């Protein structure tokens, strides 16, 4: 422990220091002290850290600075160490595209987008899900056992893509984690239909939206703040594939992905699929939880010039994600001899729609050839494509893939319309190959 | 008896009066000190801060080593200390260093965190923090699609 810790501070001192040090700074503390610091109050924190802890008056109530290890390992989360950590507080981890080759995404290769801190202690025996809000006949709570035994369970493979997947390519740069294209997954989710649950609770005719509430805590440590509380329109809630899930790929949901309970609604931005689910609000208006407000998970209604400030009235909530595809094999950078046929494969999805066609080009879009495309195993599951490519001569090539949905909409080859938070970049994925 | 009592009372009163005078003087000088010499006061109350200025509390050496600073993508420069101490409490520094904005853009992000995420007022430190960020983390012009970055390997 440093000498700071032995320097005690009375409340009078803190008051004075507030005068002079209003904007001063929280000193970092050594690792051993972290666990301890999480538990103590602001007042004792000040004395533990010494006089330099200062602008307590400026800190939000309940805020406890927690100092984290940059080095927290991916392995502790059960992740493949080849995944890319964009941010470790909150956890934001991207999957390199070639690791998404499997038809069903395994837990260790699933991207993580957390908005707050993973709940520390989860007591499954006392865990309840409460359905409340203006539009329920009466509030009702269920234990995990009740949810599992009272309702029929269903399993669907559902595509979950972060609304900000591909953000890193927007210019001027958009705020947030700078995702490449690997913030997408398609795992098998098992749970009960949200529809069945809402039927059991009894909801009023004026219900228009479902908001979720999770057990994760806000980054600031303020217990009065929710890190994220988004949701879905009632029509989406009533779809057969919209689940209150307790399993992923046949096992308990991994902690980073929402154990023990998660709302899962495929085809929408993954942020509507609330993790560590504790409550659902049945609303008679669009849910107004954290990150429902503009500009979060919203895009301009009327397109804007890159970099333009967009007034809130010109922003709409993102619902279905756009058509997209990724080449998962081979990994970009493959070198092989002329004369060898190259097999490519990957997945394509189109939010709430189906993909009708996937084509590839090896001449930067001058000509396109179609790929073999499979049907989805169920609605909102990604589809697999495959092709054999012959190269005419030696040299550098890029293989581009372009999917088209059942409404005739294709992926753009360039980055699509700029928006303030950099959502919905569905530009064609491409890999580099060298024929020698 | 009575005289004794009176004498006692007088002694007590004068002692009390003296104490009050001392307290008033102390209070006045304290107020004056707060008013005109806040630096002195703050230094006095944070005796252990030897090697740093009054504005910036020290960052534990074993917390922010040069390697760690580099690893999270920060760069050395004026204002780094303020960024380390004000921008790494809630989220990883990596969320800061992934982003690129102009001055206005950085101010906007800070404002958004203050409005919605419980971020505190930075007062006089906003200026040097924004200077640091907009100097070292400014947008770099980019095309509608960049050339691919490739690591070549031989396909089995």
């Amino acid at each position: 422990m440093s000498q700071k810790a032995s320097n005690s501070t009375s409340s009078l001192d803190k008051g004075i220091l507030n005068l002079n040090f209003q904007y001063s700074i929280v000193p970092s503390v050594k690792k051993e002290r972290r666990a301890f610091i999480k538990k103590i109050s602001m007042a004792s924190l000040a004395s533990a850290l010494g006089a330099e802890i200062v602008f307590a008056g400026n800190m939000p109530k309940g805020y406890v600075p927690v100092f984290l290890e940059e080095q927290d390992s991916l392995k502790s989360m059960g992740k493949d160490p080849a995944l890319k950590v964009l941010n470790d507080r909150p956890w934001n981890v991207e999957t390199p595209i070639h690791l998404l080759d499997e038809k069903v995404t395994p837990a260790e290769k699933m991207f993580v987008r957390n908005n707050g801190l993973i709940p520390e202690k989860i007591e499954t025996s006392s865990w309840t899900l409460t359905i409340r809000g203006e539009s329920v006949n009466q509030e009702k709570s269920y234990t995990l056992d009740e949810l599992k035994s009272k309702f029929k369970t269903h399993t669907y493979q559902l595509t979950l893509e972060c609304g900000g997947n591909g953000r890193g390519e927007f210019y001027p740069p958009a705020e947030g984690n700078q995702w490449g294209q690997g913030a997408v997954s398609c795992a098998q989710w098992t749970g009960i239909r949200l529809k069945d649950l809402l039927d059991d609770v009894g909801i009023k005719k004026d219900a228009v939206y479902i908001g979720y509430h999770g057990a994760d805590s806000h980054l600031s440590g303020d217990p009065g703040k929710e890190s994220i509380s988004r949701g879905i329109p009632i029509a989406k809630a009533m779809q057969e594939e919209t689940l209150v899930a307790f399993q992923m790929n046949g096992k308990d949901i991994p902690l980073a992905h929402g154990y023990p309970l998660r709302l899962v609604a495929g085809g929408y931005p993954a942020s509507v699929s609330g993790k560590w689910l504790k409550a659902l609000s049945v609303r008679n208006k669009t849910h107004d939880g954290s990150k429902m407000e503009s500009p979060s998970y919203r895009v301009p209604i009327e397109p804007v010039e890159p970099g333009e400030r967009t007034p809130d009235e010109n922003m709409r909530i993102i619902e279905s994600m756009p058509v997209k595809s990724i080449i998962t094999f081979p990994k970009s950078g493959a070198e092989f001899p002329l004369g060898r046929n190259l097999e490519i494969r990957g997945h394509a999805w189109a939010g709430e729609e189906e993909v009708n066609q996937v084509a590839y080009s090896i001449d930067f879009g001058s000509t396109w050839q179609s790929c073999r495309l499979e049907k989805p195993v169920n609605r909102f599951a990604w589809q697999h494509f495959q092709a054999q490519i012959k190269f005419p001569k030696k040299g550098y090539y890029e293989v581009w893939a372009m999917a088209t949905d059942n409404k005739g909409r294709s992926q753009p080859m360039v980055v699509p319309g700029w928006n303030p938070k950099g959502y919905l970049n569905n530009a064609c994925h491409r890999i580099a190959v060298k024929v020698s | 008896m009575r005289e004794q009592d009176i004498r006692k009372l007088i002694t007590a009163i004068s002692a009390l009066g003296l104490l009050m005078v001392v307290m008033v003087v102390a209070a006045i000088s304290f107020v004056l000190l707060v008013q005109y010499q806040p630096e002195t006061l703050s230094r006095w109350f944070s005796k252990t801060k030897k090697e740093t200025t009054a504005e910036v509390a020290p960052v534990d050496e074993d917390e922010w080593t040069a390697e760690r600073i580099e690893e999270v993508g920060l760069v050395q420069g004026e204002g780094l200390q303020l960024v380390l101490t004000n921008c790494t409490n809630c989220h990883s520094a990596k969320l800061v260093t992934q982003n690129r904005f102009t001055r206005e853009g950085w101010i906007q992000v800070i404002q958004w965190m203050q409005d919605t995420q419980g971020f505190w007022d930075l007062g006089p430190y906003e200026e040097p923090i924004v200077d640091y960020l907009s100097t070292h983390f400014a947008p770099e012009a980019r095309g509608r699609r960049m050339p691919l970055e490739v690591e070549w390997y031989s396909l089995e």
Side-chain angles (χ1 to χ4, degrees):
Chain A
M1 296 254 269
S2 75
Q3 57 200 130
K4 271 175 269 163
S6 59
N7 186 26
S8 78
T9 315
S10 74
S11 53
L12 176 67
D13 296 346
K14 272 184 284 155
I16 294 158
L17 285 160
N18 264 343
L19 286 177
N20 306 313
F21 262 117
Q22 250 196 87
Y23 309 105
S24 195
I25 277 133
V26 185
S28 297
V29 286
K30 288 182 183 170
K31 290 161 196 134
E32 318 83 84
R33 265 195 270 159
R34 285 177 189 161
F36 160 69
I37 281 161
K38 280 187 198 168
K39 292 193 188 87
I40 59 179
S41 71
M42 206 53 228
S44 52
L45 181 67
S47 54
L49 296 181
E52 297 99 354
I53 198 92
V54 262
F55 51 144
N58 260 7
M59 278 195 207
K61 226 182 156 167
Y63 172 77
V64 176
V66 180
F67 306 89
L68 69 142
E69 303 256 21
E70 278 282 331
Q71 291 304 327
D72 275 11
S73 79
L74 279 170
K75 278 197 183 141
S76 69
M77 245 194 327
K79 290 293 167 193
D80 186 320
L83 267 54
K84 187 178 170 197
V85 178
L86 300 184
N87 189 355
D88 55 10
R89 179 191 165 89
W91 281 106
N92 281 272
V93 183
E94 172 163 359
T95 315
I97 301 283
H98 68 278
L99 294 182
L100 288 170
D101 197 37
E102 281 132 302
K103 291 190 167 180
V104 178
T105 312
E108 67 272 17
K109 291 174 185 162
M110 182 181 263
F111 81 98
V112 182
R113 193 306 186 227
N114 286 344
N115 289 260
L117 302 176
I118 296 177
E120 268 171 29
K121 227 191 187 161
I122 290 172
E123 295 278 0
T124 46
S125 56
S126 58
W127 190 277
T128 53
L129 175 65
T130 303
I131 321 297
R132 57 181 199 225
E134 305 99 357
S135 298
V136 290
N137 292 335
Q138 76 206 43
E139 188 173 308
K140 205 165 169 183
S141 293
Y142 300 84
T143 64
L144 286 177
D145 282 343
E146 280 167 346
L147 290 174
K148 289 179 191 174
S149 59
K150 198 165 173 188
F151 302 94
K152 191 167 183 297
T153 60
H154 300 268
T155 299
Y156 297 104
Q157 205 185 324
L158 298 168
T159 308
L160 295 187
E161 181 182 12
C162 177
N165 196 21
R167 175 177 296 133
E169 274 194 296
F170 280 102
Y171 186 84
E175 302 164 28
N177 288 289
Q178 300 295 304
W179 298 103
Q181 287 173 306
V184 62
S185 68
C186 194
Q188 243 173 20
W189 294 90
T190 301
I192 63 170
R193 285 185 176 141
L194 176 56
K195 172 166 97 95
D196 293 347
L197 183 63
L198 294 177
D199 280 349
D200 191 66
V201 174
I203 65 169
K204 295 182 190 158
K205 283 221 169 68
D206 66 354
V208 296
Y209 226 91
I210 305 290
Y212 66 73
H213 307 276
D216 49 336
S217 48
H218 193 265
L219 293 177
S220 67
D222 182 348
K225 268 182 136 32
E226 283 185 293
S227 62
I228 187 163
S229 170
R230 305 197 66 248
I232 46 178
I234 203 78
K236 182 76 183 164
M238 292 302 176
Q239 284 177 347
E240 293 189 343
E241 298 84 354
T242 300
L243 301 177
V244 171
F246 39 79
Q247 282 194 342
M248 191 183 101
N249 296 339
K251 296 198 183 108
D252 282 348
I253 301 172
L255 183 58
H257 299 289
Y259 179 78
L261 211 56
R262 181 172 187 183
L263 175 64
V264 184
Y268 268 41
S271 61
V272 306
S273 294
K275 301 175 180 181
W276 311 288
L277 191 63
K278 285 296 295 173
L280 291 168
S281 295
V282 184
R283 308 297 310 267
N284 62 8
K285 57 176 184 180
T286 302
H287 182 53
D288 51 4
S290 169
K291 298 203 175 168
M292 285 299 292
E293 75 286 350
S294 194
S296 294
Y297 301 100
R298 289 180 187 237
V299 288
I301 299 166
E302 292 166 3
V304 300
E305 193 181 337
E308 190 178 320
R309 281 234 189 177
T310 317
D312 289 357
E313 315 84 77
N314 187 26
M315 298 285 272
R316 66 163 179 93
I317 300 171
I318 299 168
E319 297 192 338
S320 177
M321 292 294 286
V323 62
K324 199 158 175 176
S325 60
I326 49 175
I327 302 166
T328 56
F329 182 87
K331 181 181 159 206
S332 184
E335 284 185 276
F336 52 90
L338 184 67
R340 172 174 171 176
N341 276 1
L342 179 71
E343 186 198 341
I344 61 158
R345 53 176 189 261
H347 317 293
W349 62 96
E352 292 217 289
E353 309 297 336
E354 202 173 306
V355 177
N356 266 9
Q357 190 195 331
V358 177
Y360 75 84
S361 176
I362 56 167
D363 53 16
F364 300 93
S366 185
T367 60
W368 293 90
Q369 276 70 42
S370 54
C371 301
R372 260 219 336 265
L373 177 68
E374 291 176 29
K375 283 271 172 199
V377 293
N378 54 252
R379 203 154 63 134
F380 313 141
W382 64 19
Q383 298 163 242
H384 317 294
F385 66 86
Q386 187 265 344
Q388 298 281 336
I389 309 178
K390 252 199 186 79
F391 290 85
K393 56 182 169 194
K394 289 182 187 173
Y396 171 87
Y397 294 86
E398 287 180 13
V399 183
W400 290 57
M402 181 190 285
T404 305
D405 73 10
N406 53 8
K407 296 239 165 95
R409 293 171 297 200
S410 298
Q411 294 179 258
M413 287 187 70
V414 296
V415 177
W418 186 90
N419 60 88
K421 291 278 287 177
Y423 297 120
L424 307 186
N425 176 7
N426 65 334
C428 292
H429 179 233
R430 57 202 166 124
I431 58 167
V433 300
K434 204 179 266 178
V435 182
S436 47
Chain B
M1 288 274 263
R2 264 192 193 165
E3 239 175 62
Q4 249 182 351
D5 279 354
I6 288 165
R7 219 171 281 144
K8 254 189 197 165
L9 206 72
I10 288 170
T11 325
I13 285 169
S14 36
L16 229 104
L18 199 72
L19 197 74
M20 268 170 75
V21 168
V22 168
M23 274 169 71
V24 165
V25 168
I28 288 171
S29 39
F30 176 70
V31 166
L32 287 176
L33 204 62
V34 169
Q35 198 76 9
Y36 300 106
Q37 289 288 312
E39 253 88 90
T40 315
L41 246 193
S42 51
R43 234 174 286 132
W44 180 36
F45 276 104
S46 48
K47 297 177 213 104
T48 50
K49 262 194 296 143
K50 278 166 200 141
E51 61 295 69
T52 43
T53 64
E55 290 84 26
V56 185
V59 171
D60 263 9
E61 242 78 292
D62 60 353
E63 273 293 315
W64 283 109
T65 57
E67 293 83 63
R68 231 181 121 220
I69 286 166
E70 198 185 317
E71 189 190 294
V72 299
L74 286 166
V75 289
Q76 299 292 340
E78 206 172 313
L80 173 63
Q81 289 298 306
L82 286 168
V83 168
L84 288 178
T85 42
N86 282 286
C87 306
T88 62
N89 330 61
C90 293
H91 46 69
S92 162
K94 285 184 173 174
L95 187 55
V96 179
T97 59
Q98 283 180 62
N99 281 277
R100 298 283 182 279
F101 302 115
T102 57
R103 241 192 117 69
E104 294 71 49
W106 279 112
I107 292 170
Q108 218 173 301
V109 175
I110 290 171
Q111 185 71 48
W112 172 77
M113 287 184 290
Q114 288 167 338
D115 290 347
T116 64
Q117 306 299 327
F119 190 22
W120 47 81
D121 180 12
L122 289 167
Y125 296 132
E126 179 158 333
E127 197 67 19
I129 287 174
V130 170
D131 284 346
Y132 173 87
L133 294 169
S134 56
T135 306
H136 301 288
F137 299 94
E140 294 148 35
R142 220 188 280 156
R144 209 65 190 242
R145 287 319 287 271
M146 291 284 278
L148 289 170
E149 279 170 34
V150 192
E151 258 175 57
W152 296 106
Y153 68 97
S154 171
L155 186 66
E156 292 292 296

